[in-house]
Amino acid sequence: EQRLGNHAAATERQEQALRRSPDAVEPLIALARSQLELGRPEQAEQRVLEVLERNPNSVVALNLLGDIDAASGAFDKAIGRYSEAIRFHPASPVAYRSLARLQLGRGDAAAALDTLRQGVTATEGDGHLLVQLALMYQRLGQTDAAIAAYEELVERYPAAYLPVNNLAMLLVQRHDGRKDLDRALEVMQPFKDLDVPQLLDTLGWVHLQRGEVGLAERYLSRAVALGPEIGEIHYHLGLVLFELGRLDEARGHLERAMSAEESFDGRADAARIL
């Protein structure tokens, strides 16, 4: 029930579990999470404090207290909770993620970046933290650092879509000679037969940057068929068709791109070509 977002029903089941096993920690933590989601931070805090009475150094409980404080607007107190969790459990990734999220939400990207770096080192490269670190580098425009982080992720998790896709797009963005474009194509090749529109879009975009317009059209046409609602793919295909001189088709896709609700980097370029 909790995973489905049915927190009212979840609290009933959690209370039943606690009546059967009053000393069980897991139902207490789960109950506190549901109460927090239901807008009852005081009750959630009381439940978490019960856990801490039994296990004063519980990383889950300390982190959840930080979440409760953050939800209540007590940001400095939340930072203290997360920092305490990190101090007691430096190899656990959960508090680093929470602390970095709070720091970023308060506009302190530099502090969030430091927290993620610290977490990646302390956890010996936790995958989730490494993804967050790579995304943070992207947000801050530190392309080389983001590429290095994604390269590490691709090496460790070669079947994961997000790192491969983001790495290829960043290599195209940096485009430091043919080497970057060759590497972008290399990392995308294992995914060329998958029916995932975002991956096919990236593969088509890589081929376009390499001057392989025919291959770009092939993959982008597949991507549009699979994800007709995605404006950026229409923009990429429209650009390819424009390059091929198929102007009426290009116009149709560029107009679809401009009518899409989501923003994308090429919107101004799509308008210019139209």
Side-chain angles (χ1 to χ4, degrees):
E1 297 287 356
Q2 189 176 56
R3 290 185 178 181
L4 294 173
N6 300 328
H7 294 288
T11 57
E12 295 180 10
R13 294 183 181 276
Q14 290 148 1
E15 292 282 13
Q16 290 173 4
L18 285 170
R19 281 194 291 271
R20 289 194 297 269
S21 303
D23 294 330
V25 171
E26 290 81 2
L28 268 176
I29 289 290
L31 180 57
R33 290 193 184 282
S34 290
Q35 289 172 332
L36 182 59
E37 291 294 332
L38 290 169
R40 305 169 186 166
E42 296 85 2
Q43 292 171 267
E45 182 176 15
Q46 182 57 44
R47 290 301 192 179
V48 176
L49 290 174
E50 290 178 35
V51 174
L52 287 173
E53 285 180 7
R54 303 169 193 177
N55 185 355
N57 297 336
S58 168
V59 65
V60 176
L62 288 170
N63 193 75
L64 186 50
L65 271 183
D67 293 345
I68 293 168
D69 289 331
S72 302
F75 300 121
D76 290 339
K77 192 175 179 182
I79 288 174
R81 301 285 196 190
Y82 297 139
S83 299
E84 188 176 5
I86 289 170
R87 185 168 61 254
F88 283 125
H89 302 276
S92 174
V94 60
Y96 296 103
R97 293 200 302 267
S98 299
L99 179 56
R101 183 175 62 247
L102 177 57
Q103 290 166 329
L104 185 60
R106 299 187 73 192
D108 195 348
L113 183 61
D114 286 342
T115 296
L116 291 171
R117 283 173 174 159
Q118 178 188 352
V120 167
T121 300
T123 61
E124 297 184 351
D126 174 78
H128 292 292
L129 287 178
L130 197 51
V131 167
Q132 294 303 311
L133 179 60
L135 290 169
M136 182 64 69
Y137 282 133
Q138 275 189 263
R139 178 190 293 267
L140 297 175
Q142 299 182 28
T143 303
D144 290 346
I147 286 174
Y150 282 127
E151 286 282 14
E152 182 176 348
L153 281 162
V154 168
E155 182 178 353
R156 293 172 56 187
Y157 310 101
Y161 293 176
L162 175 69
V164 168
N165 195 72
N166 287 6
L167 173 60
M169 291 300 286
L170 283 174
L171 288 167
V172 168
Q173 177 184 321
R174 185 173 70 178
H175 194 347
D176 187 16
R178 189 73 178 183
K179 181 179 178 181
D180 276 347
L181 295 181
D182 287 346
R183 177 58 179 158
L185 183 59
E186 179 185 9
V187 298
M188 292 303 303
Q189 278 298 317
F191 302 91
K192 63 185 178 65
D193 295 322
L194 295 182
D195 289 335
V196 180
Q198 292 84 354
L199 293 175
L200 293 171
D201 175 45
T202 298
L203 184 56
W205 188 244
V206 170
H207 278 299
L208 179 61
Q209 303 309 309
R210 291 168 58 87
E212 298 157 352
V213 183
L215 287 170
E217 192 270 339
R218 178 195 305 174
Y219 288 112
L220 288 167
S221 293
R222 282 178 59 197
V224 160
L226 291 164
E229 75 287 355
I230 305 175
E232 187 171 23
I233 302 179
H234 283 284
Y235 159 61
H236 289 162
L237 181 55
L239 184 57
V240 167
L241 294 169
F242 180 76
E243 292 288 330
L244 291 170
R246 292 157 58 181
L247 302 186
D248 289 340
E249 294 174 78
R251 182 180 297 108
H253 286 289
L254 292 170
E255 287 174 346
R256 286 286 299 275
M258 293 299 295
S259 66
E261 292 184 2
E262 85 273 10
S263 62
F264 55 91
D265 289 341
R267 182 175 284 273
D269 190 43
R272 178 186 62 80
I273 296 170
L274 275 172

